Amino acid sequence: MPEYRAHLRVRLRQGVLDPAGQAVGHALRDLGFQARDIGVGKLLELTVEAASSEAAEAEVRRMAAELLVNPVLEDYDLDLVPR
Amino acid sequence: MPEYRAHLRVRLRQGVLDPAGQAVGHALRDLGFQARDIGVGKLLELTVEAASSEAAEAEVRRMAAELLVNPVLEDYDLDLVPR
């Protein structure tokens, strides 16, 4: 069966407090850098087998809904690359 | 000055133990999903001002080297998008 590499980029939703992003912003400023609108999210990557890229995407979206992403706080986008 | 949105994808280097990835793998299997080679990394996004995209990239790579990425354990790639 074909294999696909899934790349999920998980971000906090707009308006959700991002303490990790704030900490990175303070540390960058302390080092003399200028940066703003800093977000810290998760990058999840995994390999699935599926009959088609549509089937692979559906499977990974089920994983996202059941485990990987908290829809109250987080948002995500997904790329799938055939291997 | 032009603004750029930087997207850094930070991954553990090959061979570095990834306990978060293992935990996700176990949890996915417990839920009946098939997935392998699971990696959990960081997604860092920030906005910088710079005279050119080359200057923006150089600035973000300095941030990576000084703070955002641990080169012993981690690897990263970078996209810059003009705003």
Side-chain angles (χ1 to χ4, degrees):
Chain A
M1 204 142 58
E3 293 192 340
Y4 299 87
R5 188 74 176 159
H7 304 263
L8 288 96
R9 287 170 295 276
V10 183
R11 298 175 177 89
L12 289 173
R13 283 183 184 280
Q14 193 80 32
V16 175
L17 191 68
D18 180 1
Q22 292 178 352
V24 169
H26 289 138
L28 285 173
R29 277 185 285 279
D30 288 348
L31 290 169
F33 291 110
Q34 308 276 351
R36 54 184 187 69
D37 297 340
I38 297 160
V40 176
K42 281 183 297 185
L43 176 68
L44 301 172
E45 298 177 306
L46 52 89
T47 299
V48 291
E49 288 187 9
S52 66
S53 72
E54 290 75 15
E57 176 169 344
E59 180 77 352
V60 175
R61 290 197 185 278
R62 277 192 293 272
M63 294 179 194
E66 291 191 32
L67 179 72
L68 302 176
V69 178
N70 176 343
V72 177
L73 301 177
E74 296 170 330
D75 217 338
Y76 75 101
D77 57 59
L78 169 61
D79 283 332
L80 277 170
V81 181
R83 300 210 90 177
Chain B
M1 202 141 56
E3 293 193 340
Y4 298 88
R5 187 74 175 159
H7 304 264
L8 288 95
R9 288 171 295 276
V10 183
R11 299 175 176 89
L12 288 173
R13 284 184 184 278
Q14 192 80 30
V16 174
L17 192 67
D18 180 1
Q22 292 178 354
V24 169
H26 289 138
L28 285 173
R29 276 186 286 280
D30 288 348
L31 290 169
F33 290 110
Q34 308 275 350
R36 54 185 186 69
D37 297 341
I38 297 159
V40 175
K42 281 182 298 186
L43 176 68
L44 301 172
E45 297 177 308
L46 51 89
T47 298
V48 291
E49 288 187 8
S52 67
S53 72
E54 290 75 16
E57 176 170 344
E59 181 77 352
V60 175
R61 290 197 185 278
R62 277 191 294 272
M63 294 179 193
E66 290 191 33
L67 180 73
L68 303 175
V69 179
N70 176 343
V72 177
L73 300 177
E74 297 170 330
D75 217 338
Y76 75 101
D77 57 58
L78 170 61
D79 283 334
L80 277 171
V81 182
R83 301 208 89 173

